[in-house]
Amino acid sequence: MKHKYEIVKEKIINWAINGKYKPHEKIPTESEMMDLFQVSRHTIRRALSDLSSENYLYRIQGSGIYMSDFKQNESYLKKYKNVGVLTTYISNYIFPDIIGGIEDTLYDNSYSLLLSSTRNNMMFENRNLNNLLAHKVDGIIIEPTKSAYQNPNMGYLNNLIEQNVPFITINSAYPQIEVPSLCVNDFKGGQIAAECFFNLGHKNIMGIFKVDDLQGVYRMNGFISECQKNDVLLDQDQIITYLSEETDSVLPGKIKRVINKNEHPTGVFCYNDEIAFMVVNIAHSLDLKVPEDISVIGFDDSQISKIMNPRLTTITHPKQRMGIDAAKLIIKLVNNNNKFSKSDSILYEPELIVRDSTAPID
Protein backbone atom coordinates (compact mmCIF):
# COMPACT_ATOMS: atom_id res chain seq x y z
CA MET A 1 0.00 0.00 0.00
CA LYS A 2 1.36 3.41 -0.95
CA HIS A 3 2.09 6.08 1.66
CA LYS A 4 0.08 9.28 1.45
CA TYR A 5 3.12 11.35 0.46
CA GLU A 6 3.77 8.95 -2.46
CA ILE A 7 0.22 9.45 -3.70
CA VAL A 8 0.66 13.23 -3.46
CA LYS A 9 3.95 12.96 -5.40
CA GLU A 10 2.28 10.99 -8.19
CA LYS A 11 -0.49 13.57 -8.50
CA ILE A 12 1.94 16.49 -8.69
CA ILE A 13 4.11 14.63 -11.22
CA ASN A 14 0.94 14.10 -13.22
CA TRP A 15 0.49 17.89 -13.28
CA ALA A 16 3.86 18.14 -15.02
CA ILE A 17 3.27 15.28 -17.43
CA ASN A 18 -0.17 16.45 -18.51
CA GLY A 19 0.88 20.09 -18.75
CA LYS A 20 -1.55 21.33 -16.10
CA TYR A 21 1.33 23.48 -14.87
CA LYS A 22 3.95 24.51 -17.40
CA PRO A 23 7.69 24.79 -16.65
CA HIS A 24 8.41 27.74 -14.31
CA GLU A 25 4.69 28.19 -13.53
CA LYS A 26 3.69 28.64 -9.91
CA ILE A 27 1.76 25.75 -8.32
CA PRO A 28 -0.56 25.81 -5.26
CA THR A 29 0.85 26.64 -1.82
CA GLU A 30 1.42 24.06 0.91
CA SER A 31 -1.83 25.08 2.60
CA GLU A 32 -3.78 24.89 -0.65
CA MET A 33 -2.37 21.42 -1.34
CA MET A 34 -3.30 20.29 2.19
CA ASP A 35 -6.91 21.16 1.37
CA LEU A 36 -6.69 19.78 -2.17
CA PHE A 37 -5.28 16.38 -1.18
CA GLN A 38 -6.80 16.22 2.33
CA VAL A 39 -3.49 15.40 4.03
CA SER A 40 -1.28 16.91 6.72
CA ARG A 41 1.40 19.57 6.24
CA HIS A 42 4.03 16.95 7.08
CA THR A 43 2.81 14.79 4.19
CA ILE A 44 2.88 17.73 1.77
CA ARG A 45 6.37 18.74 2.85
CA ARG A 46 7.67 15.17 2.51
CA ALA A 47 6.30 14.98 -1.05
CA LEU A 48 7.63 18.43 -1.98
CA SER A 49 11.06 17.63 -0.58
CA ASP A 50 11.32 14.51 -2.72
CA LEU A 51 10.06 16.30 -5.81
CA SER A 52 12.55 19.12 -5.32
CA SER A 53 15.45 16.66 -5.05
CA GLU A 54 14.17 14.89 -8.19
CA ASN A 55 14.09 18.24 -10.06
CA TYR A 56 10.34 18.40 -10.61
CA LEU A 57 9.95 21.52 -8.43
CA TYR A 58 11.92 24.50 -7.15
CA ARG A 59 11.20 27.23 -4.58
CA ILE A 60 11.70 30.98 -4.77
CA GLN A 61 11.99 32.45 -1.26
CA GLY A 62 9.02 34.67 -0.54
CA SER A 63 7.37 33.85 -3.85
CA GLY A 64 6.30 30.21 -3.86
CA ILE A 65 6.77 26.80 -5.43
CA TYR A 66 7.32 26.42 -9.17
CA MET A 67 7.26 23.58 -11.67
CA SER A 68 10.73 22.83 -13.04
CA ASP A 69 11.56 22.31 -16.68
CA PHE A 70 12.85 18.95 -15.49
CA LYS A 71 13.78 17.64 -18.94
CA GLN A 72 16.28 20.47 -19.39
CA ASN A 73 18.01 19.79 -16.07
CA GLU A 74 21.47 18.26 -16.35
CA SER A 75 20.61 15.64 -13.74
CA TYR A 76 17.95 14.34 -16.11
CA LEU A 77 20.52 13.36 -18.70
CA LYS A 78 21.72 9.81 -18.17
CA LYS A 79 24.47 7.68 -19.54
CA TYR A 80 21.93 5.07 -20.58
CA LYS A 81 18.72 5.92 -22.37
CA ASN A 82 15.41 4.43 -21.24
CA VAL A 83 12.74 2.89 -23.45
CA GLY A 84 9.32 2.10 -22.04
CA VAL A 85 7.47 -0.94 -23.36
CA LEU A 86 3.73 -1.20 -22.74
CA THR A 87 2.02 -4.37 -23.98
CA THR A 88 -1.40 -5.83 -23.28
CA TYR A 89 0.13 -8.90 -21.65
CA ILE A 90 3.65 -9.92 -20.62
CA SER A 91 4.17 -13.44 -19.36
CA ASN A 92 1.96 -15.65 -21.50
CA TYR A 93 1.25 -16.75 -25.06
CA ILE A 94 3.37 -14.99 -27.76
CA PHE A 95 4.35 -12.00 -25.62
CA PRO A 96 7.58 -13.42 -24.09
CA ASP A 97 8.94 -13.86 -27.64
CA ILE A 98 8.04 -10.28 -28.63
CA ILE A 99 9.43 -8.81 -25.42
CA GLY A 100 12.53 -11.00 -25.63
CA GLY A 101 13.31 -9.57 -29.07
CA ILE A 102 12.86 -6.03 -27.77
CA GLU A 103 14.89 -6.61 -24.61
CA ASP A 104 17.91 -8.26 -26.27
CA THR A 105 18.15 -5.55 -28.92
CA LEU A 106 17.83 -2.68 -26.45
CA TYR A 107 20.45 -4.12 -24.10
CA ASP A 108 22.85 -4.75 -27.00
CA ASN A 109 22.62 -1.01 -27.72
CA SER A 110 23.06 0.09 -24.06
CA TYR A 111 19.40 1.01 -23.59
CA SER A 112 17.51 0.12 -20.43
CA LEU A 113 13.97 -1.27 -20.50
CA LEU A 114 10.94 -0.27 -18.44
CA LEU A 115 8.25 -2.91 -18.96
CA SER A 116 4.57 -2.88 -18.00
CA SER A 117 1.27 -4.31 -19.20
CA THR A 118 -2.34 -3.15 -19.44
CA ARG A 119 -4.06 -6.56 -19.34
CA ASN A 120 -6.05 -5.04 -22.23
CA ASN A 121 -7.73 -2.67 -19.79
CA MET A 122 -7.88 1.05 -20.62
CA MET A 123 -7.71 2.05 -16.95
CA PHE A 124 -4.43 0.16 -16.57
CA GLU A 125 -3.20 1.71 -19.83
CA ASN A 126 -3.87 5.14 -18.32
CA ARG A 127 -1.98 4.28 -15.15
CA ASN A 128 0.99 2.74 -16.93
CA LEU A 129 1.34 5.56 -19.47
CA ASN A 130 1.41 7.94 -16.52
CA ASN A 131 4.12 5.87 -14.80
CA LEU A 132 6.24 5.61 -17.95
CA LEU A 133 6.08 9.36 -18.51
CA ALA A 134 7.02 9.94 -14.88
CA HIS A 135 10.20 7.93 -15.48
CA LYS A 136 11.22 10.38 -18.22
CA VAL A 137 11.63 7.72 -20.89
CA ASP A 138 13.44 8.55 -24.13
CA GLY A 139 11.04 6.51 -26.27
CA ILE A 140 8.07 4.16 -25.90
CA ILE A 141 6.90 1.00 -27.67
CA ILE A 142 3.14 0.58 -27.18
CA GLU A 143 0.73 -2.19 -27.99
CA PRO A 144 -2.63 -0.36 -28.11
CA THR A 145 -5.25 -1.48 -25.61
CA LYS A 146 -8.71 -2.32 -27.00
CA SER A 147 -7.62 -0.76 -30.27
CA ALA A 148 -11.04 -1.14 -31.91
CA TYR A 149 -12.49 1.41 -29.44
CA GLN A 150 -12.13 5.16 -29.10
CA ASN A 151 -9.18 5.58 -26.72
CA PRO A 152 -9.79 7.79 -23.65
CA ASN A 153 -6.01 8.02 -23.07
CA MET A 154 -5.33 9.96 -26.26
CA GLY A 155 -4.32 12.98 -24.17
CA TYR A 156 -1.20 11.15 -22.97
CA LEU A 157 -0.28 10.21 -26.53
CA ASN A 158 -0.81 13.74 -27.81
CA ASN A 159 1.36 14.94 -24.94
CA LEU A 160 4.13 12.60 -26.14
CA ILE A 161 3.84 14.08 -29.63
CA GLU A 162 3.95 17.65 -28.29
CA GLN A 163 7.04 16.84 -26.23
CA ASN A 164 8.65 15.11 -29.25
CA VAL A 165 9.04 11.83 -27.34
CA PRO A 166 9.36 9.06 -29.94
CA PHE A 167 6.85 6.25 -29.74
CA ILE A 168 5.74 3.46 -32.02
CA THR A 169 3.02 0.82 -31.88
CA ILE A 170 3.11 -2.93 -32.36
CA ASN A 171 0.36 -5.40 -33.36
CA SER A 172 -2.05 -2.53 -34.00
CA ALA A 173 -2.17 1.25 -34.44
CA TYR A 174 -4.05 4.31 -33.25
CA PRO A 175 -6.05 5.54 -36.28
CA GLN A 176 -6.21 9.07 -34.83
CA ILE A 177 -2.44 9.68 -34.76
CA GLU A 178 0.39 9.22 -37.20
CA VAL A 179 3.31 7.28 -35.74
CA PRO A 180 5.17 4.24 -37.10
CA SER A 181 3.52 0.86 -36.50
CA LEU A 182 4.59 -2.76 -36.84
CA CYS A 183 1.63 -5.01 -37.61
CA VAL A 184 0.72 -8.30 -39.21
CA ASN A 185 -1.51 -8.13 -42.29
CA ASP A 186 -4.43 -9.51 -40.28
CA PHE A 187 -6.94 -9.01 -43.11
CA LYS A 188 -4.86 -11.24 -45.36
CA GLY A 189 -4.53 -13.77 -42.56
CA GLY A 190 -8.31 -14.11 -42.44
CA GLN A 191 -8.41 -14.55 -46.21
CA ILE A 192 -5.74 -17.27 -46.08
CA ALA A 193 -7.68 -19.24 -43.46
CA ALA A 194 -10.94 -19.18 -45.45
CA GLU A 195 -9.08 -20.05 -48.65
CA CYS A 196 -7.54 -23.07 -46.92
CA PHE A 197 -10.98 -24.38 -45.97
CA PHE A 198 -12.34 -23.90 -49.49
CA ASN A 199 -9.34 -25.70 -50.99
CA LEU A 200 -10.12 -28.62 -48.68
CA GLY A 201 -13.76 -28.67 -49.82
CA HIS A 202 -15.32 -27.08 -46.70
CA LYS A 203 -18.32 -24.81 -47.21
CA ASN A 204 -19.99 -24.91 -43.79
CA ILE A 205 -17.35 -22.93 -41.94
CA MET A 206 -17.27 -20.65 -38.90
CA GLY A 207 -15.05 -17.86 -37.57
CA ILE A 208 -14.41 -16.81 -33.96
CA PHE A 209 -13.10 -13.27 -33.44
CA LYS A 210 -12.21 -10.93 -30.59
CA VAL A 211 -13.67 -7.58 -31.64
CA ASP A 212 -12.35 -5.09 -29.09
CA ASP A 213 -8.95 -5.25 -30.82
CA LEU A 214 -8.41 -4.20 -34.43
CA GLN A 215 -6.46 -7.42 -35.07
CA GLY A 216 -9.64 -9.41 -34.55
CA VAL A 217 -11.76 -7.03 -36.60
CA TYR A 218 -9.34 -7.21 -39.54
CA ARG A 219 -9.08 -11.01 -39.34
CA MET A 220 -12.87 -11.23 -39.32
CA ASN A 221 -13.20 -8.88 -42.29
CA GLY A 222 -10.61 -10.82 -44.28
CA PHE A 223 -12.36 -14.10 -43.52
CA ILE A 224 -15.78 -12.76 -44.54
CA SER A 225 -14.33 -11.15 -47.67
CA GLU A 226 -12.90 -14.45 -48.86
CA CYS A 227 -16.20 -16.21 -48.13
CA GLN A 228 -18.06 -13.64 -50.25
CA LYS A 229 -15.52 -14.08 -53.03
CA ASN A 230 -16.36 -17.80 -53.03
CA ASP A 231 -20.15 -17.19 -52.90
CA VAL A 232 -20.38 -18.53 -49.35
CA LEU A 233 -22.85 -16.53 -47.27
CA LEU A 234 -22.38 -16.78 -43.50
CA ASP A 235 -25.32 -16.62 -41.10
CA GLN A 236 -25.16 -15.20 -37.58
CA ASP A 237 -24.14 -18.53 -36.05
CA GLN A 238 -21.13 -18.77 -38.33
CA ILE A 239 -19.47 -15.64 -36.96
CA ILE A 240 -18.90 -15.69 -33.20
CA THR A 241 -17.60 -12.46 -31.64
CA TYR A 242 -16.43 -11.81 -28.10
CA LEU A 243 -14.66 -9.24 -25.92
CA SER A 244 -11.41 -9.76 -24.01
CA GLU A 245 -13.16 -10.11 -20.66
CA GLU A 246 -15.54 -12.75 -22.09
CA THR A 247 -12.79 -15.18 -23.14
CA ASP A 248 -13.19 -17.57 -20.22
CA SER A 249 -16.75 -16.83 -19.16
CA VAL A 250 -19.02 -16.28 -22.18
CA LEU A 251 -17.09 -17.58 -25.17
CA PRO A 252 -16.94 -21.34 -24.35
CA GLY A 253 -20.72 -21.48 -24.12
CA LYS A 254 -21.12 -19.73 -27.47
CA ILE A 255 -18.75 -22.19 -29.15
CA LYS A 256 -20.35 -25.25 -27.60
CA ARG A 257 -23.84 -24.17 -28.65
CA VAL A 258 -22.83 -23.93 -32.32
CA ILE A 259 -20.65 -27.00 -32.72
CA ASN A 260 -23.10 -29.17 -30.77
CA LYS A 261 -25.69 -28.82 -33.55
CA ASN A 262 -26.44 -31.70 -35.92
CA GLU A 263 -25.31 -29.55 -38.85
CA HIS A 264 -22.24 -28.24 -37.08
CA PRO A 265 -19.54 -26.39 -39.04
CA THR A 266 -16.87 -28.60 -40.55
CA GLY A 267 -14.22 -25.88 -40.39
CA VAL A 268 -13.49 -23.33 -37.65
CA PHE A 269 -11.08 -20.39 -37.94
CA CYS A 270 -10.06 -18.92 -34.59
CA TYR A 271 -8.80 -15.48 -33.59
CA ASN A 272 -5.65 -17.05 -32.16
CA ASP A 273 -4.12 -20.39 -31.17
CA GLU A 274 -5.43 -20.16 -27.60
CA ILE A 275 -9.01 -20.02 -28.89
CA ALA A 276 -8.23 -22.87 -31.30
CA PHE A 277 -7.06 -24.93 -28.33
CA MET A 278 -10.37 -24.14 -26.61
CA VAL A 279 -12.33 -25.25 -29.70
CA VAL A 280 -10.44 -28.54 -29.95
CA ASN A 281 -11.11 -29.31 -26.28
CA ILE A 282 -14.81 -28.48 -26.61
CA ALA A 283 -15.05 -30.64 -29.73
CA HIS A 284 -13.44 -33.57 -27.90
CA SER A 285 -15.88 -33.13 -24.99
CA LEU A 286 -18.71 -33.53 -27.53
CA ASP A 287 -17.13 -36.68 -29.01
CA LEU A 288 -16.20 -34.85 -32.21
CA LYS A 289 -12.85 -35.68 -33.76
CA VAL A 290 -10.37 -33.13 -35.09
CA PRO A 291 -9.85 -33.03 -38.06
CA GLU A 292 -12.19 -35.88 -39.10
CA ASP A 293 -15.37 -34.11 -37.91
CA ILE A 294 -14.10 -30.55 -37.57
CA SER A 295 -11.01 -28.88 -39.06
CA VAL A 296 -9.52 -26.07 -36.96
CA ILE A 297 -7.19 -23.21 -37.91
CA GLY A 298 -5.53 -20.86 -35.42
CA PHE A 299 -3.45 -17.70 -35.72
CA ASP A 300 0.05 -16.79 -34.42
CA ASP A 301 2.00 -20.08 -34.79
CA SER A 302 2.58 -20.09 -31.03
CA GLN A 303 4.19 -22.84 -28.96
CA ILE A 304 0.67 -24.10 -28.19
CA SER A 305 0.13 -24.91 -31.86
CA LYS A 306 3.15 -27.23 -31.92
CA ILE A 307 2.31 -29.28 -28.83
CA MET A 308 -1.46 -29.64 -29.24
CA ASN A 309 -3.00 -32.96 -30.13
CA PRO A 310 -3.56 -32.79 -33.04
CA ARG A 311 -0.86 -30.27 -33.92
CA LEU A 312 -2.53 -27.07 -35.08
CA THR A 313 -2.73 -25.61 -38.56
CA THR A 314 -2.17 -21.90 -38.02
CA ILE A 315 -1.25 -18.51 -39.51
CA THR A 316 2.21 -17.09 -38.81
CA HIS A 317 3.06 -14.13 -36.56
CA PRO A 318 6.65 -12.79 -36.57
CA LYS A 319 6.89 -12.47 -32.76
CA GLN A 320 10.60 -12.18 -31.98
CA ARG A 321 11.29 -10.53 -35.35
CA MET A 322 8.66 -7.89 -34.52
CA GLY A 323 10.32 -7.27 -31.15
CA ILE A 324 13.76 -6.87 -32.73
CA ASP A 325 12.43 -4.56 -35.46
CA ALA A 326 10.50 -2.47 -32.91
CA ALA A 327 13.58 -1.99 -30.74
CA LYS A 328 15.73 -1.05 -33.73
CA LEU A 329 13.15 1.46 -34.91
CA ILE A 330 12.70 3.18 -31.53
CA ILE A 331 16.50 3.46 -31.18
CA LYS A 332 16.64 5.02 -34.65
CA LEU A 333 13.93 7.55 -33.75
CA VAL A 334 15.60 8.45 -30.44
CA ASN A 335 18.93 9.00 -32.18
CA ASN A 336 17.35 10.98 -35.05
CA ASN A 337 15.24 13.31 -32.89
CA ASN A 338 12.02 11.47 -33.72
CA LYS A 339 12.25 11.98 -37.49
CA PHE A 340 10.24 9.26 -39.17
CA SER A 341 8.57 8.51 -42.49
CA LYS A 342 5.79 6.22 -43.67
CA SER A 343 8.42 3.73 -44.80
CA ASP A 344 9.38 3.13 -41.14
CA SER A 345 6.13 1.21 -40.58
CA ILE A 346 6.23 -2.54 -41.25
CA LEU A 347 3.37 -4.77 -42.39
CA TYR A 348 4.34 -8.42 -42.00
CA GLU A 349 2.78 -10.79 -44.52
CA PRO A 350 1.31 -13.93 -42.87
CA GLU A 351 1.67 -17.48 -44.13
CA LEU A 352 -0.27 -20.68 -43.56
CA ILE A 353 1.47 -23.42 -41.55
CA VAL A 354 -0.31 -26.70 -42.31
CA ARG A 355 -0.27 -29.34 -39.58
CA ASP A 356 -2.69 -32.03 -38.41
CA SER A 357 -5.84 -30.12 -37.39
CA THR A 358 -7.12 -29.67 -40.95
CA ALA A 359 -8.15 -32.27 -43.54
CA PRO A 360 -10.27 -32.50 -46.71
CA ILE A 361 -13.97 -32.93 -46.09
CA ASP A 362 -15.32 -36.43 -46.72
Side-chain angles (χ1 to χ4, degrees), residues 90-251:
I90 290 178
S91 60
N92 62 340
Y93 196 48
I94 63 173
F95 293 96
D97 290 329
I98 297 173
I99 293 166
I102 294 172
E103 184 176 40
D104 291 345
T105 306
L106 289 177
Y107 287 170
D108 286 347
N109 288 272
S110 299
Y111 278 66
S112 60
L113 170 68
L114 296 171
L115 178 63
S116 55
S117 76
T118 68
R119 287 174 271 174
N120 215 29
N121 181 303
M122 287 184 177
M123 181 182 70
F124 290 130
E125 183 185 56
N126 178 295
R127 184 183 303 170
N128 283 298
L129 282 171
N130 183 46
N131 288 338
L132 287 173
L133 288 167
H135 279 91
K136 315 178 188 71
V137 291
D138 298 283
I140 305 181
I141 299 170
I142 303 174
E143 182 188 25
T145 292
K146 290 189 180 291
S147 53
Y149 293 171
Q150 183 70 30
N151 194 306
N153 301 317
M154 200 55 60
Y156 285 102
L157 304 176
N158 287 329
N159 191 260
L160 287 173
I161 293 172
E162 290 173 5
Q163 295 180 21
N164 201 36
V165 177
F167 75 97
I168 63 174
T169 66
I170 58 173
N171 282 327
S172 189
Y174 296 105
Q176 306 95 322
I177 53 179
E178 186 176 346
V179 296
S181 62
L182 293 81
C183 302
V184 177
N185 188 338
D186 293 297
F187 185 91
K188 184 175 179 180
Q191 290 180 309
I192 290 172
E195 181 183 36
C196 175
F197 284 137
F198 296 139
N199 289 340
L200 293 171
H202 296 271
K203 295 292 184 181
N204 183 10
I205 60 176
M206 177 176 80
I208 304 171
F209 305 99
K210 185 165 72 160
V211 291
D212 50 4
D213 290 330
L214 284 176
Q215 299 99 300
V217 174
Y218 292 149
R219 292 171 192 181
M220 178 176 66
N221 290 343
F223 183 76
I224 294 173
S225 172
E226 191 66 19
C227 289
Q228 292 173 341
K229 178 180 171 183
N230 286 269
D231 297 322
V232 173
L233 301 179
L234 304 174
D235 64 32
Q236 60 181 5
D237 281 340
Q238 291 173 283
I239 296 292
I240 292 179
T241 61
Y242 68 101
L243 306 178
S244 298
E245 56 270 19
E246 297 175 336
T247 303
D248 297 321
S249 56
V250 176
L251 182 58

Side-chain angles (χ1 to χ4, degrees), residues 273 291 296 300-308 310-316 352-359:
D273 294 343
V296 180
D300 290 332
D301 191 27
S302 66
Q303 286 299 315
I304 296 172
S305 68
K306 302 174 179 66
I307 63 175
M308 284 174 54
R311 295 182 312 138
L312 184 66
T313 295
T314 186
I315 311 291
T316 56
L352 180 71
I353 304 296
V354 178
R355 298 195 179 101
D356 306 325
S357 66
T358 49

